Amino acid sequence: MKKIEAAEKFLTAHLDLFKCPICQQPFADLADRSMVCPNNHRFDLSKKGTLYFLTKKFSGEYDGAMLQARRQILQAGLFDKIIETVAKQLPNQSQTILDIGCGEGTPLNKLIQLRNSRDAGVGFDISKPGIELANNQEQPSFFCVADLAALPFNADSFDIIFDLFSPSAYKEFERVLKPTGKLIKVVPNSNYLMELRHLLYPSDSQNSSYSNQKVVDLFAQHYPNYQRIDLEYQFAIPAGQQANLLLMTPLHWGQGQREVSATELASLKSITVAVTLLIQTATN
Ligand SMILES: [Zn+2]
């Protein structure tokens, strides 16, 4: 099946998840591969089977090289144990899953495949190149370009919100999550990719270490009865993937990076992945 046909099939089955980002009305119809709201605002499916929901321009796109690097190392399994741990938190029956800031889409797709493709997965990101790459996978989930602060989804639509290393908009999350739903936010903790961090920053640099305390505190403020799972493992870096690791990560780590030689980089054989899962369910 062509990507656009697969996307059309998904939208026909799950039209009720989406609302018009201009007038906030639920979409009433999918006609000629356009989503149409009761006020006749139209959003056309792209040839590649994605939807573009932004109503204003945003700057600061990820560049293609960074997205490709991320694609390669995630396909190689960097986050597989995180995804397995998330999968264990999900009920057996089919779920509607929203991936917040899905980037190039590998984690959501792996999660859905791990669960034998019985879920309806929707990933969104503000990056159009990210979404185009996300949709360029075997049997992709549904991917769209959208704004975290104004989600184009109806209230009480999703069973699961999955937020892997993306910013949060708790008010919007609470709106689109079903009352019985579950929010799973994954944040890096201080040991995350520490071998790379130590290569990049001198030990007296403020960026040589990282704490997720502020993010965890904010989550705890919103959800005092949250559950927490700490996960740490070593990932054996496949030969030649070190450069991808370097390309995909440190943008958000901040100033003061030193040049890393090819020899130093090649000496990096394994890397620590250390994260905290913050989980809010209706019952806790
Ligand atoms: Zn509208």
Side-chain angles (χ1 to χ4, degrees):
M1 205 189 309
K2 278 187 184 165
K3 294 267 157 65
I4 190 168
E5 287 164 3
E8 192 178 13
K9 192 176 160 207
F10 181 91
L11 290 176
T12 304
H14 301 287
L15 190 67
D16 58 340
L17 294 177
F18 298 87
K19 70 164 187 171
C20 172
I22 298 170
C23 69
Q24 318 307 325
Q25 295 296 310
F27 282 108
D29 200 9
L30 179 69
D32 297 330
R33 294 176 171 167
S34 292
M35 302 279 270
V36 188
C37 82
N39 294 313
N40 228 14
H41 301 124
R42 297 177 78 91
F43 293 83
D44 303 334
L45 257 181
S46 74
K47 285 199 185 93
K48 289 170 180 162
T50 61
L51 272 172
Y52 187 87
F53 282 122
L54 295 184
T55 52
K56 54 186 175 190
K57 288 266 174 212
F58 286 87
S59 56
E61 295 271 342
Y62 297 134
D63 71 59
M66 190 274 248
L67 288 165
Q68 285 291 351
R70 200 174 160 84
R71 160 63 53 85
Q72 287 182 37
I73 197 140
L74 297 199
Q75 289 288 343
L78 181 68
F79 291 163
D80 281 6
K81 286 197 175 147
I82 300 176
I83 295 158
E84 284 161 23
T85 308
V86 169
K88 282 184 195 149
Q89 304 304 311
L90 271 49
N92 279 329
Q93 63 268 36
S94 154
Q95 303 283 289
T96 45
I97 303 176
L98 178 64
D99 184 348
I100 304 296
C102 62
E104 55 68 60
T106 297
L108 177 62
N109 246 28
K110 284 196 175 225
L111 177 64
I112 301 274
Q113 280 160 12
L114 200 56
R115 287 173 47 80
N116 301 318
S117 303
R118 62 182 179 271
D119 307 305
V122 176
F124 79 89
D125 203 282
I126 205 161
S127 162
K128 192 176 172 194
I131 289 304
E132 284 174 355
L133 187 58
N135 213 45
N136 189 17
Q137 299 182 81
E138 283 292 310
Q139 299 181 311
S141 304
F142 185 81
F143 292 103
C144 54
V145 182
D147 178 9
L148 171 73
L151 299 177
F153 308 111
N154 287 313
D156 303 341
S157 293
F158 289 93
D159 297 304
I160 303 291
I161 289 182
F162 170 43
D163 177 342
L164 174 65
F165 297 176
S166 286
S168 291
Y170 292 118
K171 232 177 150 174
E172 277 295 83
F173 291 1
E174 283 155 26
R175 184 179 64 77
V176 304
L177 197 60
K178 288 182 187 174
T180 52
K182 188 180 258 197
L183 165 61
I184 303 174
K185 181 175 173 64
V186 185
V187 294
N189 63 37
S190 53
N191 288 345
Y192 177 69
L193 306 187
M194 63 177 182
E195 298 84 355
L196 183 61
R197 195 182 276 276
H198 291 163
L199 269 185
L200 285 169
Y201 298 99
S203 56
D204 60 352
S205 155
Q206 59 168 3
N207 291 318
S208 70
S209 65
Y210 165 79
S211 164
N212 64 18
Q213 198 57 49
K214 273 187 191 160
V215 182
V216 175
D217 287 349
L218 191 62
F219 194 91
Q221 242 173 44
H222 276 89
Y223 310 109
N225 301 313
Y226 76 103
Q227 288 172 280
R228 170 187 181 128
I229 299 171
D230 290 297
L231 174 68
E232 182 165 330
Y233 57 91
Q234 286 291 311
F235 175 72
I237 306 170
Q241 289 274 1
Q242 285 87 352
N244 285 330
L245 192 65
L246 184 63
L247 252 179
M248 81 158 236
T249 39
L251 282 178
H252 54 277
W253 284 359
Q255 302 294 309
Q257 285 177 30
R258 54 182 282 271
E259 282 290 321
V260 176
S261 72
T263 318
E264 280 178 303
L265 201 54
S267 72
L268 212 57
K269 300 295 183 205
S270 118
I271 192 107
T272 305
V273 179
V275 300
T276 302
L277 277 71
L278 305 168
I279 303 165
Q280 167 65 17
T281 51
T283 49
N284 65 13

Tab-separated table of all heavy atoms in Angstrom, residues 20 22-25 37-41, ligand 1:
chain	number	residue	atom	x	y	z
A	20	CYS	N	-9.770	20.582	14.355
A	20	CYS	CA	-9.241	21.663	13.533
A	20	CYS	C	-8.435	22.631	14.411
A	20	CYS	O	-8.945	23.126	15.413
A	20	CYS	CB	-10.404	22.402	12.874
A	20	CYS	SG	-9.893	23.895	12.012
A	22	ILE	N	-7.642	25.578	13.753
A	22	ILE	CA	-8.060	26.974	13.568
A	22	ILE	C	-9.304	27.281	14.404
A	22	ILE	O	-9.312	28.222	15.191
A	22	ILE	CB	-8.326	27.277	12.077
A	22	ILE	CG1	-7.030	27.092	11.273
A	22	ILE	CG2	-8.879	28.703	11.894
A	22	ILE	CD1	-7.220	27.137	9.774
A	23	CYS	N	-10.353	26.476	14.262
A	23	CYS	CA	-11.616	26.777	14.971
A	23	CYS	C	-11.906	25.802	16.119
A	23	CYS	O	-12.903	25.945	16.812
A	23	CYS	CB	-12.778	26.808	13.985
A	23	CYS	SG	-13.162	25.182	13.308
A	24	GLN	N	-11.028	24.822	16.308
A	24	GLN	CA	-11.098	23.867	17.425
A	24	GLN	C	-12.261	22.871	17.321
A	24	GLN	O	-12.532	22.126	18.263
A	24	GLN	CB	-11.181	24.579	18.809
A	24	GLN	CG	-10.268	25.773	18.993
A	24	GLN	CD	-8.808	25.488	18.675
A	24	GLN	OE1	-8.309	24.390	18.928
A	24	GLN	NE2	-8.119	26.455	18.076
A	25	GLN	N	-12.979	22.865	16.186
A	25	GLN	CA	-14.073	21.902	16.020
A	25	GLN	C	-13.503	20.543	15.581
A	25	GLN	O	-12.542	20.496	14.818
A	25	GLN	CB	-15.046	22.396	14.929
A	25	GLN	CG	-15.772	23.674	15.283
A	25	GLN	CD	-16.674	23.488	16.483
A	25	GLN	OE1	-17.474	22.564	16.544
A	25	GLN	NE2	-16.499	24.354	17.479
A	37	CYS	N	-13.187	20.527	8.397
A	37	CYS	CA	-13.922	20.764	9.635
A	37	CYS	C	-15.289	21.377	9.301
A	37	CYS	O	-15.530	21.756	8.161
A	37	CYS	CB	-13.119	21.658	10.561
A	37	CYS	SG	-13.280	23.400	10.183
A	38	PRO	N	-16.192	21.506	10.278
A	38	PRO	CA	-17.526	22.041	9.982
A	38	PRO	C	-17.482	23.471	9.437
A	38	PRO	O	-18.406	23.913	8.762
A	38	PRO	CB	-18.236	22.009	11.342
A	38	PRO	CG	-17.501	20.995	12.135
A	38	PRO	CD	-16.075	21.047	11.669
A	39	ASN	N	-16.394	24.206	9.718
A	39	ASN	CA	-16.267	25.565	9.181
A	39	ASN	C	-15.454	25.606	7.891
A	39	ASN	O	-14.965	26.667	7.478
A	39	ASN	CB	-15.649	26.492	10.228
A	39	ASN	CG	-16.569	26.664	11.423
A	39	ASN	OD1	-17.763	26.908	11.254
A	39	ASN	ND2	-16.040	26.495	12.628
A	40	ASN	N	-15.302	24.437	7.304
A	40	ASN	CA	-14.669	24.314	5.995
A	40	ASN	C	-13.173	24.658	5.954
A	40	ASN	O	-12.649	25.015	4.906
A	40	ASN	CB	-15.429	25.141	4.959
A	40	ASN	CG	-15.676	24.311	3.706
A	40	ASN	OD1	-15.514	23.081	3.739
A	40	ASN	ND2	-16.034	24.965	2.611
A	41	HIS	N	-12.506	24.587	7.076
A	41	HIS	CA	-11.040	24.660	7.045
A	41	HIS	C	-10.525	23.306	6.558
A	41	HIS	O	-10.975	22.271	7.029
A	41	HIS	CB	-10.477	24.980	8.436
A	41	HIS	CG	-10.969	26.276	8.992
A	41	HIS	ND1	-11.598	26.377	10.214
A	41	HIS	CD2	-10.941	27.532	8.479
A	41	HIS	CE1	-11.923	27.647	10.435
A	41	HIS	NE2	-11.540	28.364	9.401
B	1	ZN	ZN	-11.946	24.721	11.470
